[in-house]
């Protein structure tokens, strides 16, 4: 199953959270790119 990104409103901004690993993005394009490559494991980098 592919990871899925959910849009949420926080602090008067729309954030995109990966349901698989929990990363948050403020740019829908970044979230979409991440969604394609997410392996649902903890990220190997800090954001």
């Amino acid at each position: 199953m592919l990871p899925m990104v959910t849009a949420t409103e926080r602090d008067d901004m729309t954030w995109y959270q990966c349901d698989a690993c929990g990363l948050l993005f403020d740019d829908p394009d970044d979230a979409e790119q991440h969604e394609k490559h997410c392996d649902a494991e903890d990220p190997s980098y800090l954001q």
Side-chain angles (χ1 to χ4, degrees):
M1 183 168 172
L2 291 174
M4 190 161 148
V5 172
T6 304
T8 48
E9 290 284 331
R10 278 191 202 162
D11 304 325
D12 296 325
M13 287 183 62
T14 299
W15 293 88
Y16 303 89
Q17 182 172 21
C18 178
D19 293 339
C21 70
L23 278 179
L24 282 172
F25 300 90
D26 60 355
D27 184 325
D29 294 331
D30 289 347
E32 184 179 332
Q33 279 298 106
H34 169 80
E35 187 176 30
K36 291 177 184 175
H37 302 288
C38 180
D39 58 8
E41 293 181 7
D42 289 334
S44 60
Y45 56 89
L46 295 177
Q47 185 173 11

